[in-house]
Coordinates of all heavy atoms in Angstrom, one line a residue:
Chain E
I370 N 91.3 82.1 91.9 CA 92.4 81.2 91.6 C 92.6 81.3 90.1 O 91.8 81.0 89.3 CB 92.1 79.7 92.0 CG1 91.7 79.6 93.4 CG2 93.3 78.8 91.6 CD1 92.7 80.0 94.4
L371 N 93.8 81.8 89.8 CA 94.1 82.1 88.4 C 95.2 81.2 87.9 O 96.3 81.2 88.5 CB 94.4 83.5 88.1 CG 94.5 83.9 86.7 CD1 93.1 84.3 86.2 CD2 95.5 85.0 86.4
M372 N 95.0 80.4 86.9 CA 96.0 79.6 86.4 C 96.5 80.2 85.1 O 95.7 80.7 84.3 CB 95.5 78.2 86.1 CG 96.5 77.2 85.5 SD 96.5 75.6 86.2 CE 94.8 75.1 86.2
R373 N 97.8 80.3 84.9 CA 98.4 80.9 83.7 C 99.4 80.0 83.1 O 100.4 79.7 83.8 CB 99.1 82.2 84.0 CG 98.4 83.5 83.8 CD 99.3 84.6 84.1 NE 98.6 85.9 84.0 CZ 99.1 87.0 84.5 NH1 100.2 87.1 85.1 NH2 98.4 88.1 84.4
T374 N 99.1 79.5 81.9 CA 100.2 78.7 81.3 C 100.9 79.6 80.3 O 100.3 80.5 79.7 CB 99.6 77.5 80.6 OG1 98.7 77.9 79.6 CG2 99.0 76.5 81.6
V375 N 102.2 79.4 80.1 CA 103.0 80.2 79.2 C 103.6 79.3 78.2 O 104.3 78.3 78.5 CB 104.1 80.8 80.1 CG1 105.0 81.7 79.2 CG2 103.6 81.6 81.2
T376 N 103.2 79.5 76.9 CA 103.7 78.7 75.8 C 104.7 79.5 75.1 O 104.3 80.5 74.4 CB 102.6 78.2 74.9 OG1 101.6 77.6 75.7 CG2 103.1 77.3 73.9
P377 N 106.0 79.2 75.2 CA 107.0 80.0 74.4 C 106.9 79.5 72.9 O 106.9 78.3 72.7 CB 108.3 79.6 75.0 CG 108.1 78.5 76.0 CD 106.7 78.1 76.0
T378 N 106.7 80.4 72.0 CA 106.7 80.0 70.6 C 107.9 80.4 69.8 O 108.1 80.0 68.7 CB 105.4 80.6 69.9 OG1 105.4 82.0 70.2 CG2 104.1 80.0 70.4
A379 N 108.7 81.2 70.4 CA 110.1 81.6 69.8 C 110.8 82.3 71.0 O 110.3 82.5 72.1 CB 109.9 82.6 68.7
H380 N 112.1 82.6 70.7 CA 112.8 83.3 71.8 C 112.2 84.6 72.2 O 112.4 85.0 73.4 CB 114.3 83.5 71.4 CG 114.4 84.4 70.2 ND1 114.1 84.1 68.9 CD2 114.8 85.7 70.2 CE1 114.3 85.1 68.1 NE2 114.7 86.1 68.9
N381 N 111.5 85.2 71.3 CA 110.9 86.5 71.7 C 109.4 86.5 71.5 O 108.8 87.6 71.2 CB 111.5 87.6 70.8 CG 111.4 87.3 69.3 OD1 110.8 86.3 69.0 ND2 111.9 88.2 68.5
R382 N 108.7 85.4 71.7 CA 107.3 85.3 71.6 C 106.7 84.3 72.6 O 107.3 83.3 72.8 CB 106.9 84.8 70.2 CG 107.0 85.7 69.0 CD 105.8 86.7 68.9 NE 105.9 87.5 67.7 CZ 106.7 88.4 67.5 NH1 107.7 88.7 68.3 NH2 106.7 89.1 66.3
M383 N 105.6 84.6 73.1 CA 104.9 83.6 74.0 C 103.4 83.8 73.9 O 102.9 84.9 73.6 CB 105.4 83.8 75.4 CG 105.0 85.2 76.0 SD 105.5 85.3 77.7 CE 106.3 87.0 77.7
I384 N 102.7 82.7 74.2 CA 101.3 82.8 74.3 C 100.9 82.5 75.7 O 101.3 81.5 76.3 CB 100.6 81.8 73.3 CG1 100.9 82.2 71.9 CG2 99.1 81.8 73.6 CD1 100.4 81.2 70.8
I385 N 100.1 83.4 76.3 CA 99.6 83.2 77.7 C 98.2 82.7 77.6 O 97.4 83.2 76.8 CB 99.6 84.6 78.4 CG1 100.8 85.3 78.3 CG2 99.2 84.4 79.9 CD1 102.0 84.7 78.9
R386 N 97.9 81.8 78.5 CA 96.5 81.3 78.6 C 96.1 81.4 80.0 O 96.8 80.8 80.9 CB 96.5 79.9 78.1 CG 95.1 79.4 77.7 CD 95.2 78.0 77.1 NE 93.8 77.6 76.9 CZ 93.0 77.3 77.9 NH1 93.3 77.3 79.1 NH2 91.7 77.1 77.6
A387 N 95.1 82.2 80.4 CA 94.8 82.4 81.8 C 93.3 82.0 82.0 O 92.5 82.4 81.2 CB 95.1 83.8 82.2
W388 N 93.0 81.3 83.0 CA 91.7 81.0 83.3 C 91.5 80.9 84.8 O 92.4 80.8 85.6 CB 91.1 79.8 82.5 CG 91.7 78.4 82.7 CD1 91.1 77.3 83.1 CD2 93.0 78.0 82.3 NE1 91.9 76.2 83.1 CE2 93.1 76.6 82.6 CE3 94.2 78.6 81.8 CZ2 94.2 75.8 82.4 CZ3 95.3 77.8 81.6 CH2 95.3 76.5 81.9
S389 N 90.2 80.9 85.2 CA 89.9 81.2 86.6 C 89.1 80.0 87.3 O 88.3 79.4 86.6 CB 89.1 82.5 86.6 OG 88.5 82.8 87.8
F390 N 89.3 79.9 88.5 CA 88.6 78.8 89.3 C 88.0 79.4 90.6 O 88.6 80.3 91.1 CB 89.6 77.7 89.7 CG 90.2 77.0 88.6 CD1 91.4 77.5 88.0 CD2 89.7 75.8 88.1 CE1 92.0 76.9 86.9 CE2 90.3 75.2 87.0 CZ 91.4 75.7 86.4
G391 N 86.9 78.7 91.0 CA 86.3 79.1 92.3 C 85.8 77.9 92.9 O 85.7 76.8 92.3
P392 N 85.3 78.0 94.2 CA 84.7 76.8 94.9 C 83.5 76.4 94.1 O 82.7 77.2 93.5 CB 84.2 77.4 96.2 CG 85.1 78.6 96.4 CD 85.4 79.2 95.1
A393 N 83.3 75.0 94.0 CA 82.2 74.4 93.2 C 80.9 74.8 93.9 O 79.9 74.9 93.1 CB 82.4 72.9 93.2
D394 N 80.9 75.1 95.2 CA 79.6 75.5 95.8 C 79.4 77.0 96.0 O 78.7 77.4 96.9 CB 79.5 74.7 97.1 CG 80.7 75.0 98.1 OD1 81.6 75.7 97.6 OD2 80.6 74.6 99.2
E395 N 80.1 77.8 95.2 CA 80.1 79.2 95.4 C 78.7 79.8 95.0 O 78.1 79.4 94.1 CB 81.1 79.9 94.5 CG 81.4 81.4 94.8 CD 82.7 81.8 94.3 OE1 82.9 81.8 93.1 OE2 83.6 82.2 95.2
T396 N 78.2 80.8 95.8 CA 76.9 81.4 95.5 C 77.1 82.3 94.3 O 78.1 82.8 94.0 CB 76.5 82.3 96.7 OG1 77.4 83.4 96.8 CG2 76.5 81.5 98.0
P397 N 75.9 82.5 93.6 CA 76.0 83.4 92.4 C 76.5 84.8 92.7 O 77.2 85.4 91.9 CB 74.5 83.5 92.0 CG 73.9 82.2 92.5 CD 74.6 81.9 93.8

Side-chain angles (χ1 to χ4, degrees):
Chain E
I370 305 298
L371 191 85
M372 182 138 46
R373 259 185 187 165
T374 58
V375 182
T376 304
T378 50
H380 65 284
N381 57 2
R382 286 279 189 288
M383 63 179 132
I384 295 173
I385 312 293
R386 200 175 175 286
W388 63 117
S389 169
F390 298 85
D394 57 353
E395 191 159 65
T396 64

